[in-house]
Amino acid sequence: MGGTLSVDYYTRLEQARGPRPSRQMLTALARALRLTADERDHLFHLADEEPPRRETASTHVPPGLMLILDRLHDTPAQVVTDCGEVLAQNAMARALTLDVMSRPRRERNLVRRYFLDPQARSLFPEEDRDEHARAAVANLRAVAAARPDDPEPAALVAELRAASEEFAGLWDEHEVALRHRATKRFLHPLVGLLDLDCEVMLSHEHHQLLVIHSARPGTEAYERLQLLRVVGLQDMSPSKA
């Protein structure tokens, strides 16, 4: 949806002209126009829809986070909910971990993909995968404990416990941890192994995280990250290999 069309569409909504939009369309429009949470709620009211609940993780990325994301040109960065759903990516994040936003919404959750989609694990060296699994479960347990009345984390936990023996076993260990900084290794099919620092900025109000991966200048990882920036986005799908 282009910028001019989006503004015109918003204007027609305010004037009660045109067909009633779906909730998905309203969410996409709010993101395209970079509305604040209050402006988004007003948009939903204009369409006679109930705005999303504020006490759960919002899928609306605040304009401030989007502005920061836009300015991170040379390092991978993305906005995710505390339950692991990817909400926005910059070009470098798409180059590093593929274009998650082009997938159906259900497939944008990193925790679900890690335990249910074997291809998701190919992004990491084999010797690191158990630790990634343990960290994901510990983080999700902390989120579920912090929001006991929110159905989203509870539903994700129930789904994964039923579908993944590995997840169920780790969940029963009762480890709890919110991790805001770490070093992660990515195994990229074009540039090879990248040792990257992972910094996490938390938006408490929206239950969202801005995750930034970077490398120290002068390191091999930094050179490979620069090469990844030059290579750009590649279609890695097996059907087009």
Side-chain angles (χ1 to χ4, degrees), residues 13-238:
L13 279 178
E14 288 187 316
Q15 297 173 350
R17 295 188 292 117
R20 179 175 175 176
S22 66
R23 293 182 64 84
Q24 291 82 359
M25 175 65 74
L26 293 171
T27 299
L29 182 59
R31 182 175 295 141
L33 295 177
R34 301 196 175 183
L35 304 181
T36 65
D38 290 336
E39 290 169 339
R40 179 207 59 190
D41 289 354
H42 178 60
L43 174 64
F44 272 75
H45 287 307
L46 287 173
D48 292 326
E49 288 281 355
E50 186 68 22
R53 295 190 313 160
R54 295 257 186 134
E55 62 269 22
T56 191
S58 174
T59 59
H60 175 67
V61 182
L65 275 184
M66 288 300 300
L67 180 61
I68 296 173
L69 193 66
D70 287 345
R71 296 192 176 189
L72 295 171
H73 302 294
D74 59 352
T75 189
Q78 58 188 13
V79 179
V80 301
T81 69
D82 56 4
C83 283
E85 181 181 346
V86 178
L87 302 178
Q89 296 177 291
N90 67 4
M92 284 293 287
R94 294 194 297 272
L96 179 64
T97 62
L98 304 184
D99 186 0
V100 178
M101 294 303 297
S102 66
R103 298 171 177 265
R105 181 178 175 182
R106 176 179 170 78
E107 298 178 17
R108 298 176 195 169
N109 187 285
L110 300 178
V111 183
R112 178 184 286 112
R113 288 189 61 214
Y114 194 81
F115 285 97
L116 301 185
D117 180 4
Q119 185 180 8
R121 300 201 175 201
S122 66
L123 291 171
F124 308 103
E126 186 173 357
E127 58 270 26
D128 296 353
R129 294 172 189 173
D130 288 345
E131 176 58 26
H132 279 292
R134 185 172 297 276
V137 174
N139 182 83
L140 184 56
R141 178 175 284 279
V143 172
R147 302 211 306 275
D149 297 325
D150 187 342
E152 181 184 3
L156 182 59
V157 169
E159 175 191 355
L160 292 178
R161 290 194 73 183
S164 168
E165 290 185 7
E166 180 187 18
F167 180 91
L170 290 172
W171 185 262
D172 289 341
E173 292 184 16
H174 297 278
E175 183 179 353
V176 181
L178 285 174
R179 306 187 181 192
H180 301 300
R181 186 186 187 281
T183 299
K184 287 187 179 181
R185 301 199 303 166
F186 291 87
L187 192 57
H188 193 275
L190 288 181
V191 301
L193 186 65
L194 299 103
D195 288 87
L196 302 179
D197 292 327
C198 176
E199 298 285 351
V200 179
M201 298 174 59
L202 175 62
S203 172
H204 291 280
E205 179 183 358
H206 299 88
H207 305 294
Q208 294 175 359
L209 313 172
L210 175 62
V211 183
I212 304 170
H213 293 100
S214 62
R216 290 181 293 277
T219 63
E220 186 175 9
Y222 181 82
E223 298 301 323
R224 291 184 177 184
L225 201 58
Q226 296 309 303
L227 176 60
L228 181 61
R229 184 182 181 188
V230 173
V231 170
L233 296 176
Q234 298 290 331
D235 186 352
M236 303 296 180
S237 61

